[in-house]
Amino acid sequence: MRDFDKWFNEMRYSINQYNYYVNFEKVYENIEKLKIELNIMNSLIGSNNIKQDMTDLFEKYPEILKCIPILLAVRKKEIYVRDEEGEFNFNFESRNYSIEQYIYFMEKTGLVDLIENHIVNNLIDYCLGVETGLDSNGRKNRGGHQMENLVESYIKKTGLEYYKEMYLRDIESKWNMDLSQISAGGTSSKRWDFVVKTENNIYVIETNFYTSGGSKLNETARSYKMISRESKDIPNFEFVWVTDGAGWKGARGNLEETFNEMEHLYNITDLEKGIFTEVFK
């Protein structure tokens, strides 16, 4: 029997790598797409006749309209607003209102003040900061990929045949397996993070890393415990769950129940000790 307390105390606080925080390559790429237009708009900074200068600039260079959303930290090409006059949906790829209305939009959102009063000196530098802030929203996805990449590195070490993001129905089709016991009678569209094929067995693997707690962790533990139960009678099929993270401290009880029932529940320390080599047979 494995010792849950010892295993649980091995949970990692973080697995963040250097590129987790900001993907500067993507930030620079997004700025480069608007560099010419932003430089044109830089001519408006500190203008003494901002509305007339904006009108002249938008008439001569209508393409600069597409810069406006990023100045408001918005990635969409359309922005909806409503006021006492009604509802408006401004399109910044293909102008659908008068130039005066677009300038009014910029005035009401604070962009005219930002540019006219020299609050920023360079719109490219300003947008670089905006893009950096927006990119931080991608940390959740990068965090999930970090765990997947880590687990994949240990799968590769086994030298076995494996697949990423494989649907349950594709497993059934590829290896002529009946997985109706875990597919809700064939209605589930479950996708597994990894599938490892050995000479005798199919191993489906789920991975996750939780830095913070929440009800989702309890639901995940219960769900995976149920999959483990339902899959026990499927010939040549094994369910493997690799999880880690300090977030489990708030869901310890449910995780312990699952740990005591699941044969293949592992953490990063288990991977480091070569558990995949022992399990995949």
Side-chain angles (χ1 to χ4, degrees):
M1 291 288 292
R2 293 190 294 165
D3 185 330
F4 175 78
D5 291 333
K6 179 181 178 182
W7 181 82
F8 189 80
N9 288 332
E10 294 170 343
M11 290 292 184
R12 310 294 173 91
Y13 172 75
S14 173
I15 56 170
N16 293 342
Q17 299 176 327
Y18 294 112
N19 60 1
Y20 165 78
Y21 298 97
V22 177
N23 182 350
F24 278 109
E25 183 177 340
K26 180 181 176 183
V27 169
Y28 300 147
E29 181 181 321
N30 290 339
I31 293 297
E32 189 64 30
K33 293 175 184 176
L34 296 172
K35 194 171 184 179
I36 294 174
E37 291 80 5
L38 287 170
N39 268 320
I40 293 173
M41 287 196 70
N42 271 334
S43 65
L44 294 170
I45 293 177
S47 169
N48 294 320
N49 191 9
I50 188 69
K51 292 184 181 180
Q52 184 59 54
D53 288 344
M54 278 186 168
T55 300
D56 294 342
L57 208 62
F58 287 150
E59 287 179 347
K60 188 172 183 179
Y61 304 104
E63 66 273 16
I64 65 176
L65 279 175
K66 66 182 180 181
C67 295
I68 295 175
I70 194 61
L71 295 174
L72 294 171
V74 175
R75 292 208 186 279
K76 297 178 181 179
K77 68 178 181 179
E78 294 183 336
I79 298 180
Y80 169 89
V81 294
R82 69 181 304 276
D83 59 20
E84 63 278 1
E85 299 295 327
E87 299 180 354
F88 305 90
N89 195 30
F90 288 86
N91 189 309
F92 294 93
E93 289 287 340
S94 179
R95 183 161 63 87
N96 57 342
Y97 296 108
S98 68
I99 290 176
E100 290 74 18
Q101 284 174 294
Y102 277 90
I103 293 174
Y104 182 77
F105 171 92
M106 293 181 68
E107 184 177 21
K108 299 301 286 186
T109 56
L111 290 179
V112 169
D113 181 60
L114 178 79
I115 296 170
E116 179 183 26
N117 294 317
H118 224 293
I119 294 173
V120 295
N121 294 319
N122 186 300
L123 292 177
I124 292 179
D125 292 343
Y126 168 83
C127 287
L128 184 65
V130 170
E131 280 287 349
T132 300
L134 288 174
D135 183 75
S136 67
N137 294 327
R139 288 176 186 168
K140 183 177 180 180
N141 289 334
R142 288 195 288 272
H145 288 310
Q146 283 188 141
M147 186 61 172
E148 291 174 11
N149 293 340
L150 180 63
V151 171
E152 185 176 13
S153 70
Y154 285 98
I155 294 174
K156 286 180 177 179
K157 289 180 180 179
T158 67
L160 295 168
E161 175 185 353
Y162 78 95
Y163 303 85
K164 293 181 65 174
E165 299 182 346
M166 195 172 193
Y167 285 95
L168 188 149
R169 63 178 177 271
D170 295 328
I171 298 173
E172 290 183 309
S173 175
K174 186 173 181 63
W175 292 293
N176 193 29
M177 300 187 76
D178 179 7
L179 302 180
S180 56
Q181 289 178 243
I182 59 171
S183 67
T187 61
S188 171
S189 58
K190 171 68 179 173
R191 185 181 68 179
W192 307 96
D193 291 333
F194 299 99
V195 176
V196 173
K197 174 70 172 69
T198 68
E199 185 176 351
N200 301 310
N201 296 311
I202 298 292
Y203 296 86
V204 296
I205 305 170
E206 284 292 283
T207 71
N208 39 53
F209 188 96
Y210 296 108
T211 56
S212 58
S215 59
K216 180 181 179 181
L217 281 76
N218 288 321
E219 294 169 8
T220 299
R222 286 192 292 265
S223 173
Y224 288 176
K225 179 172 64 176
M226 185 61 65
I227 293 174
S228 179
R229 283 179 183 174
E230 294 171 343
S231 65
K232 282 183 178 178
D233 296 328
I234 301 176
N236 309 114
F237 181 90
E238 299 285 347
F239 173 48
V240 178
W241 180 22
V242 183
T243 192
D244 213 310
W248 282 112
K249 294 187 182 299
R252 179 185 174 119
N254 276 300
L255 184 62
E256 184 171 8
E257 289 180 15
T258 305
F259 178 89
N260 290 333
E261 186 163 326
M262 273 191 72
E263 179 180 1
H264 301 300
L265 172 53
Y266 306 117
N267 59 20
I268 294 172
T269 299
D270 292 322
L271 300 184
E272 293 172 345
K273 293 178 179 177
I275 192 65
F276 282 167
T277 303
E278 298 177 21
V279 169
F280 299 151
K281 297 178 182 178

